[in-house]
Amino acid sequence: MPAQQHSDPFEDSLSAELRDTGGQFDADLHSLTTAGLARGRRLRLRRRSAVVGGAASLALVGVGGALLLPGGGSDPAPSSVASNPSASATVPPVSGQELISTLKEQLGYGKFSQETSRGTADAPYAWLVWDDGDGGSVVSVNLERVEPGSENARQLTECPDKTFTPYDSCRTSRLDNGSVLRILQGYEYPDKREPTKHWSADLITPRGQHVAVYEWNAEAEKGSPVTREDPPLDAAELKKLVTAPAWLKAVDAMPKEDRSSLASPEETAAPTTDIRKTLVDLLPAGLTPVSRGGDESGWGYVVVDDGKGRSLVEINVQPNMGDLLGESIFEDAEDVGDGTMLATREDAGDKDVSGTVRWTVDTVRVNGLRVVISALNAGGPHDAPSRAKPALTMEQLKKIALSSKWGPSREESQTGQKNSDQG
């Protein structure tokens, strides 16, 4: 049986960062604006899955390259993690085969195949196909450390925004020992173009131990027919598996890292403006917000309805992007009079939904502030169109993007500098 393809949380994070960086240098305006608008979404969702099925190498979607993983299942020592001594000052390493043995013990019965794993020396995981008698399913466990209380830890335990990540159920709870548990029952494809379900459980302890369990109702999460209606473990069984003490002992066996390396990757600070509130304040009269959201990275959205159907409006506000003014992608951009460069685009969105129309305005100011705003003729990126055109016109989008509420114009910046010099 060919080896299965895997990614781990660290590789998912790297993939997202590479896509973010690549989007800034793409010579195509479509790629640039799409990358800018999706940046905030990716920061919240890039850790969604830690296992990817397929061949022996990991292909990073949207990146011109691949990461090769070490061979799985080659570690000796068939004993279970549970048989190891309890955590001490020096915890012995745990092999990939031990993690596989522990996963089998926790599942308890059935047939196992296509096993692969990696020990605690580097981003440990255990992955296999389990047939409990009702159909083979992928089940995996990934282990890592995160900084307690960090943005990364928060993202791993909060329920995602349904506007961008449809799911059937999501529950977050705090356990008696202070750990936070999230159980998410969703889909491999947000648009549900295939019936593959993806269910997960994420546990983060007060010490920053992160245990993630993933399961699918197929023998691979992509490109494989479903074998059953639902994945084999229900919410209660997911909780039991993810909270097994053996996984925490394995996390303790991972090499210690600098605490600074455990925090979420640093993002250039966005303006302190409340993105969601400002966007709503700038909407034209007659548009009723029906939902809104965003994060601290400078990304926000609002879904509006003018009585003719819902329309998603997204905005991304990024400082220190002045280098883009020298790129060829802005050669045909309009100088609006104060040095701000403005480019527009009309396309069909980035989710391949039939009939979708998206209008985008992309601006970069002399002080480096970039404001990208788009409007869709649907209530979400995966939704079918609810109207013929977006609810905002291109001119209305321009007015919002150029508003001084996102940051000072060149004249305002210069006035502030003169006042500072005089002071």
Side-chain angles (χ1 to χ4, degrees):
M1 191 69 66
Q4 292 295 315
Q5 181 181 3
H6 300 270
S7 70
D8 55 58
F10 302 101
E11 287 156 354
D12 278 350
S13 209
L14 174 61
S15 172
E17 294 303 320
L18 289 173
R19 287 197 297 271
D20 288 338
T21 302
Q24 296 174 13
F25 296 97
D26 197 314
D28 174 61
L29 181 58
H30 181 202
S31 298
L32 174 72
T33 53
T34 296
L37 291 164
R39 173 175 172 271
R41 285 183 262 152
R42 282 201 303 270
L43 293 177
R44 296 170 70 88
L45 303 177
R46 64 186 175 200
R47 304 299 296 277
R48 182 190 66 85
S49 172
V51 179
V52 180
S57 65
L58 170 66
L60 297 179
V61 178
V63 180
L67 295 177
L68 299 180
L69 299 177
S74 60
D75 294 327
S79 61
S80 163
V81 176
S83 66
N84 282 338
S86 58
S88 60
T90 302
V91 182
V94 178
S95 71
Q97 186 55 51
E98 287 178 290
L99 294 177
I100 285 288
S101 297
T102 298
L103 179 55
K104 289 181 178 179
E105 288 179 8
Q106 294 297 324
L107 295 175
Y109 64 96
K111 298 179 180 179
F112 304 103
S113 62
Q114 302 184 46
E115 303 165 12
T116 184
S117 59
R118 181 163 53 201
T120 56
D122 179 25
Y125 69 84
W127 189 103
L128 51 74
V129 172
W130 176 41
D131 190 340
D132 61 353
D134 293 324
S137 305
V138 171
V139 179
S140 76
V141 177
N142 283 64
L143 309 174
E144 67 168 344
R145 291 193 187 95
V146 297
E147 182 69 17
S150 65
E151 175 68 10
N152 186 21
R154 183 182 67 82
Q155 291 176 6
L156 288 167
T157 53
E158 69 177 6
C159 291
D161 192 324
K162 269 195 167 183
T163 300
F164 300 95
T165 308
Y167 55 84
D168 292 331
S169 174
C170 182
R171 294 186 296 277
T172 296
S173 59
R174 187 172 294 276
L175 307 184
D176 291 341
N177 64 1
S179 298
V180 179
L181 172 67
R182 181 189 70 180
I183 296 179
L184 176 63
Q185 296 176 324
Y187 298 84
E188 179 60 29
Y189 297 96
D191 59 6
K192 303 179 185 179
R193 61 181 180 270
E194 292 185 11
T196 309
K197 294 183 179 180
H198 174 221
W199 292 1
S200 62
D202 285 273
L203 177 77
I204 294 184
T205 71
R207 294 172 50 208
Q209 298 154 301
H210 176 213
V211 182
V213 172
Y214 305 93
E215 60 170 341
W216 289 262
N217 59 335
E219 294 193 359
E221 72 276 23
K222 295 181 186 292
S224 181
V226 298
T227 58
R228 54 200 296 149
E229 183 178 354
D230 293 324
L233 302 173
D234 62 20
E237 291 166 327
L238 277 172
K239 178 180 178 179
K240 181 179 179 181
L241 177 56
V242 79
T243 57
W247 305 127
L248 301 184
K249 295 179 182 179
V251 176
D252 287 338
M254 296 175 63
K256 301 297 182 183
E257 301 179 45
D258 239 353
R259 291 185 69 83
S260 60
S261 69
L262 300 178
S264 302
E266 289 187 6
E267 293 293 327
T268 303
T272 57
T273 306
D274 186 325
I275 300 297
R276 288 165 289 187
K277 181 179 183 303
T278 302
L279 178 57
V280 171
D281 289 345
L282 292 173
L283 289 174
L287 293 180
T288 302
V290 294
S291 65
R292 68 189 75 177
D295 58 29
E296 291 93 17
S297 70
W299 168 77
Y301 79 88
V302 60
V303 177
V304 299
D305 193 336
D306 57 359
K308 301 177 182 178
R310 295 192 173 194
S311 181
L312 170 67
V313 181
E314 287 186 86
I315 193 159
N316 214 26
V317 182
Q318 303 169 311
N320 308 318
M321 300 295 286
D323 289 348
L324 287 177
L325 292 174
E327 298 293 323
S328 60
I329 50 176
F330 275 90
E331 281 182 351
D332 297 326
E334 170 191 0
D335 186 334
V336 299
D338 63 353
T340 299
M341 303 303 295
L342 181 150
T344 63
R345 183 174 181 87
E346 300 181 20
D347 60 33
D350 56 5
K351 300 302 179 185
D352 299 323
V353 179
S354 179
T356 297
V357 176
R358 180 174 63 182
W359 294 344
T360 300
V361 171
D362 194 349
T363 66
V364 177
R365 306 184 186 190
V366 171
N367 62 6
L369 184 68
R370 181 188 185 200
V371 180
V372 190
I373 184 169
S374 75
L376 200 68
N377 66 331
H382 303 285
D383 296 350
S386 58
R387 52 193 299 138
K389 298 178 180 179
L392 278 76
T393 66
M394 195 71 82
E395 290 302 315
Q396 289 171 329
L397 292 173
K398 289 180 182 179
K399 184 176 181 179
I400 294 175
L402 295 172
S403 171
S404 61
K405 289 189 176 183
W406 304 118
S409 64
R410 181 177 66 173
E411 285 81 359
E412 291 169 325
S413 296
Q414 291 173 340
T415 299
Q417 182 62 46
K418 288 179 181 178
N419 291 338
S420 176
D421 293 342
Q422 292 171 358

